[in-house]
Amino acid sequence: MSNFGKRAAPNRNEPPTNKRRKEEEDEEKSNYEEHLAHLATLISPSKRSVLDPSKCRRPNPPSNHAKKAFSMQVMEVETFFEPGNNTDFDRTNVRLFGITMEGNSACVTVTNYFPHFYFQAPTGFAVENLDSGQKNLNAAVANNLRRANSNNQTSDVVVNHLVHLSVAQGEGLYGYKGSNKKYDFIKVSGTTQTLNRAKQELRNGINLGKGVQAIEKFFEANIDAEVKFMAQTGIVGCGWIEIPANKSKQLNQSKTNCQIELSVSVNDLIIHLPEGEWGKVAPIRTMSFDIECMGRRGIFPEPEHDPVIQIACMVKIEGQAEPFLRCCFVLGTCAPVIGSEIIQCPTEKDLLERWTEFIRLVDPDVLTGYNILNFDLPYILERAKTLKLPKVSFLGRLKDKASQVRESTLSSKQMGSRVNKNIDIHGRVIFDVLQVVLRDYKLRSYTLNSVSYHFLSEQKEDVEHSTIPDLQMGDEQSRRRLALYCMKDAALPLRLLDKLMSIINYMEMARVTGVPINYLLTRGQQIKILSMMLRRCKAENFFLPVIEVQGGDDVGYEGATVIDPIRGFYREPIATLDFASLYPSIMIAHNLCYTTLLTGPLDGGVEGKDYIKTPSGNFFCTKEKRCGLLPVVLEDLLSARKRAKNDLKNEKDEFKKMVLNGRQLALKISANSVYGFTGATVGKLPCLEISQSVTSFGRQMIELTKKTVEENYKKGAMNGKCPQDAKVIYGDTDSVMVKFGVETVAQAMEIGFEAAKEVSKIFIEPIKLEFEKVYYPYLLINKKRYAGLYYTKPDKYDKVDCKGLETVRRDNCPLVAKVLGKCLETMLIDRNADAALVYAKKMISDLLCNRIDISMLIISKELTKSGDKYQAKQAHVELAARMRKRDPGSAPRLGDRVPFVIIAAGKNVPAYEKAEDPTYVLENNVPIDFNYYLTNQLAKPLARIFDPILDGKAEKALLQGEHTRVRTVVQSKVGGLAAFTQKMKTCLGCKGVLKGDRKDAATCEHCKDKQGDIYATRCANMNSLERNFARLWTECQNCAKTMHEKVNCSARDCPIFYAREKVRGELKEAYEVLERFGEPTW
Amino acid sequence: MDSQHVNGSACKTIKVMVSERRVKRSALSYENRSERFLIGAADMGSGWHQRQYFHLYEARVKAVRERILQNAQRMLSKNIKISSLENVAEEVDSQSTTATDVLVVGTIEKRIRARPSVLKTMADDDLKMDDSEEDGGNGIDSEVPTLIGNKDFLEFEDDKQILTGNINMDSVATGCTCGLFGRQVSGGVFEVKQVVWPMPAPQRPLPTFDSEPMIAFLSGINVCGNPQQDANALSGLTLFTQWAGGQMGIETDKAAHVCRVVITGESINVASQAVEFANKAAYLIRHEEAPNVGCAKVLDEHIARLTTLMPVDLMPGDGDPTVALHPQRPIHKTVLPMAGLNGGTLNLTTNPYEFSLGELDFCVLSGQTITDLRRLSTINSASKLMTHMLTWQHLAPTCPDTVDGFPLIDRDPFVIERFPHVMVVGNQPKAEVDVFESAGRRCVLISLPRFSRSQIVALLNLRTLKVEWKQFTV
């Protein structure tokens, strides 16, 4: 069940369409119940196989660990409330979950840490007032608590220590006030809960010694407790901590399922930076799992009704190649699977409970799978509720905390808005591979199948949901089959993680930014920057203010600049000058930061020396006055990236290259998102002054670069190496494309290097113009649309680089990308525009003759809400409704992507009725609207790339002409007049209708002599069909890894799915035609 | 054009001369036993095109299961029984120390990384994924480079039962059905002590001949439509016809002993051109004929001349105008109108082709199945591969996996049911003769080179079972 489709929440309120359906459902349901009851009787207790616990358990922990020095890698951090009593006060403590190098799981409770926030001391406040202020505040908070909970009986000890006040020296983050003077701030510490109350009371007004005063502005009061704790102590995500011998206490009452449980005061904790020896990685246990549910016909499985029938698990230790434990929990009997443990369970209750026991036994650090976050885990938890199995929800490491599901919306500029489930599994990291892939890769499809194909060149057999009940209700062999699928679905995510190096890469990211690893998947970009800022602020005694989110995102400022392109097909080398990390380096160069922001010219300062005015009219002080925090954070990131890039250059191992590349990309993303962080008005620390200054500097620099290059590299410059005046033909955000008029890539590179070096001199460090690549040839179509052959070395090109063209866009049918890609390759690599045109014409002709594989024509859209909720009628919604009428079992459900093709229909048929299911089209020979594909899909993108070559006549050349005149007319088997037409056989030679005694023959009387030739020609075509038929179907057999069983695959996004269906029909027809020639022998 | 014209006139003269001095040829009883290779109405049934290939493997196991058990009882012990793999696994689970050896029957799967795969080809086209790892492929000097690498392994039945022990990659092929005697040593590994093949099919006693009749085999005329390229093969064929007709004035006695010619496929070779043709844009070829049309005409003329002399069996092979799925149906008579005129001496046959001549049993293959086996193993010699086939008692284990096959539902015609006296394979890189001898069976193995390259004809003396290679070059 790893179909991406299950991502969407099932629409539970959907009423059954009619009464019959309801009855059918009931009948089906009772069938299931009978079946389930039957299963329970099948398995006698003696047949139950038991997993060998010694295989599953972690290595034994050392005894008496509190007496020895102890270190572990921190995977998860959480804060919790510990109520006080008569002798101790309330606390917010922290639990750190992690693994030791020996592979033991551990939980360290950190005490004596108190969350806090700050506010600026009111004028006239003196240190002597602290005590009375604290007393007043405590009384107010206690009252507040009592109001909220009248039964609250709290001891005096607790009441007197609800909050604690102290004085701290520091400064608000925003603005430079002329000096580095620090101000008095009052630090309020306590528990998370009391701090919230204290904030309320402070807002209402408290007597802090000088009468009742209301406090409006707070600092660091809105930051996650965990992030604040980590910043405060210096712990980074996935970093190492150490506890010296005899500094920790062993808990006398075990609270968790961890092997080692310690308690330590925050002051005794040693934090290691993840460098050198402490850059190591503990043997992390990853468990991947997948569940199968018994769905009812046409309905997405609902945890209220549909049982879980199988759960497959794979357990692996990070760094090892293969999982050391493979198992599958099966409801009912199941034939054994070699190399795997099959655990047969008589009831669903038994299955779920044994699975949770298994999790607690294996004690994984990381839970993974495909879409477990939004499907498998919530389903299991919900199912446990329905069946009233409280034990099942204890998946985490805490003995007293069940796992809960919450909905959360994550919106980020990078990924758009999406609703995710949020699940607490205390002490374990949920690392959903789907989330990783969604975040890091742009793909056409995100089903497990197509993702596996993309990254592993491997697929799995994709079983249609509707066949699952049949397999379950079959015998132990069919359930074994299901178990095989299920285990494959659990194994593939592990292989993907391995291939993509995701866990290692994310761990690096956690270490760089300091946030726990699970934040990287569940939160946006902001938290990473915030964490880095917080650390830096702490070191320099700055406090982050709480900024109330105001209004929407519509406060705009001018963005980047684009130099108007001079369009055309350039057959000469075009050099590209790029600003390396433009925005970060602008911020560094001009010292743009919250802490350097001025409201106007600095009093008594000199512009340029003490302060600057940015092109957008904002003022910032210079480095001489104060070094900004952001520039420091950015410099750290950039130098780390430089190191990674250097290592990348020297690395020979392809695999490690991928890791390093991942790391440098992560650092680049982080550095670039700092700019976005300041511009996000709904964010934690917006500062438009910074972001608009950055873009204005950027615009200025691009213009300046253009001017300088064109002035300096005129004809004859560089000792005559420049054959003509340099011309900037295009520029965008951080790069300019220059035509130097030279003939070879090497020449362009020489001038390019020189130009980059020279122009860089006019900019402030570290802004640097870099020369990296030459395009030769270069096809400049429009703003943000271009393609070129990309050279970084003078002798060999690296790749074809396309920007903004349909080859990289996903909203078209694959044919467009394929034709466009091939045409561009021919034009750019072979430099043969004519051949490209011939190819385009051939593909158009193939399209019109129905020779294009239908999978190339499929457009798909996600079904996000049911039909009546869309305002206008939409093609894919209408189609889904139609498919449901045909067969409710296989129709797409909410959240599925609906694949469709556009079919030919009458003139006045509205567009939304022209979408059709590709399988239906193949089975029924429904004619496809080739004109639609030609004019609406292919024509524009192709015309765009051919226009520069054909002087703007491309569209005409492509849409008309000889190649469009031969068309195949497809005879539909359904709809219209199909039922009434009788097909007359025609002569295979002259296409005349056959009559009389020759009406079933191959040819008419006239063509009889040519029969042999016709036969041979037909054979030539048929042989290629036969080859396809055989190779496609054996491929499926091989992919499913079975020779003796039917392939049940219905992976619609598999590249051969439609091809193998189409060839069936075509081959049958070809054989039928052959039969018309009669017996082959005499 | 010119050469064709000359050939055409030559054709007439031969006819005249032959009728004047017709050599007397011995007539032997002939029986075509290839009925089972014909795809009949029952096989086509309704919806054959909707089938998958697993039926064929099922049918294969069913066909030889009993014979494997028989052989196992003969080789190992009378009491041996076939067990199932699943039960083997269970036995290990319950009493891992005392696991006993068992016999399991199933299908071998060679997991070869380099197995040709449509999907991989597509993925490579799209992504250019990692092909950096070079396996130590065996650079054996053969026509088709072999695809075996050292990371490959054997599997049994479905999924993940890896085989070790007394079994090696080259002694089996994907799709071979056999019994394995051994035990499971760990989770997914089965240690083979002995491989048990099906009991060899019965063989009839060798017939005796008073005269010395001969049968001629040739393969791979490979007419491609280009007169220059075709010249060697066609003139060689003409020479052979003249020799057989006694017109060369030499060896007329010997020629008279040749009572039948078998042409074992690949008479037309336009495979690559045909693919190109099928892929061309429709608007460019709407008035064109497929390239095999012209070739068929040339072939027709030449075969027609041969058929005036003696019966000619024409088998289909790769590229011949007929169906490509195995077993291949005969080339259609309509393609060879001239050759068909000569009183039924042209015999269009299936591939594989089994017949008896004077009570001697022949089994002839056009060669695709052997070529495919060679590609997927390190064995190069055709006769060695034929030996394997006879051991396996199967003519095409890799069909349908890597040799395109018809999706048969309830039978596997490739299982050997009568042990042949002579086995011939066409279109091989080298001419080879060998003898298979085992379990009281004896079979002459002949591997034919392509006529287009060698102009070699194999003449088999039916009495002595000796092969004479004769080359017909100008």
Side-chain angles (χ1 to χ4, degrees), chain A residues 456-516:
Chain A
L456 306 171
S457 288
E458 182 184 329
Q459 298 213 341
K460 53 145 197 157
E461 195 179 347
D462 196 1
V463 194
E464 196 149 317
H465 309 289
S466 53
T467 52
I468 290 177
D470 299 340
L471 290 171
Q472 169 67 13
M473 289 170 76
D475 56 3
E476 58 167 19
Q477 286 300 334
S478 71
R479 280 190 289 274
R480 172 180 184 270
R481 192 88 201 275
L482 193 56
L484 287 175
Y485 301 145
C486 194
M487 287 198 284
K488 181 105 195 208
D489 283 354
L492 279 175
L494 278 185
R495 302 206 32 211
L496 281 169
L497 285 184
D498 236 30
K499 179 89 185 180
L500 301 176
M501 311 280 317
S502 304
I503 292 193
I504 300 290
N505 280 351
Y506 271 70
M507 213 177 262
E508 288 303 321
M509 185 60 124
R511 286 171 168 181
V512 169
T513 57
V515 298

Side-chain angles (χ1 to χ4, degrees), chain A residues 338 851 1026 1044 1047 1064 1068, chain B residues 49-50 52 107 187 280 324:
Chain A
I338 295 142
R851 284 159 55 143
E1026 289 177 303
H1044 290 269
V1047 179
R1064 281 178 154 172
K1068 177 175 173 253
Chain B
H49 59 287
Q50 295 290 354
Q52 296 181 5
T107 309
K280 258 193 189 163

Side-chain angles (χ1 to χ4, degrees), chain A residues 561-567 703 706 728-731 780 783:
Chain A
T561 194
V562 178
I563 296 174
D564 271 339
I566 305 169
R567 288 169 223 184
E703 295 295 341
K706 176 175 157 57
V728 170
I729 55 166
Y730 179 58
L780 180 55
K783 282 182 184 174

Side-chain angles (χ1 to χ4, degrees), chain B residues 80-100:
Chain B
I80 204 149
K81 279 205 180 67
I82 297 178
S83 165
S84 81
L85 265 184
E86 289 80 26
N87 293 339
V88 177
E90 253 181 16
E91 270 162 41
V92 170
D93 273 352
S94 54
Q95 37 187 328
S96 51
T97 46
T98 57
T100 46

Side-chain angles (χ1 to χ4, degrees), chain A residues 922-954:
Chain A
L922 285 178
E923 280 165 4
N924 297 292
N925 243 354
V926 181
I928 286 172
D929 188 351
F930 297 121
N931 270 331
Y932 169 86
Y933 283 98
L934 185 54
T935 51
N936 294 30
Q937 296 258 332
L938 275 177
K940 290 259 148 48
L942 278 178
R944 240 177 253 135
I945 65 164
F946 283 115
D947 263 342
I949 294 154
L950 297 174
D951 287 336
K953 291 187 194 111

Side-chain angles (χ1 to χ4, degrees), chain A residues 90 135-162 193-194 197-198 200-201:
Chain A
D90 289 0
K135 211 169 277 170
N136 291 343
L137 189 54
N138 269 332
V141 171
N143 267 330
N144 187 320
L145 283 168
R146 275 184 214 113
R147 276 204 302 279
N149 182 3
S150 51
N151 297 331
N152 206 345
Q153 299 286 328
T154 36
S155 73
D156 286 351
V157 182
V158 173
V159 170
N160 291 336
H161 291 90
L162 284 171
Q193 191 191 10
T194 53
R197 307 280 173 184
Q200 282 173 16
E201 294 302 326

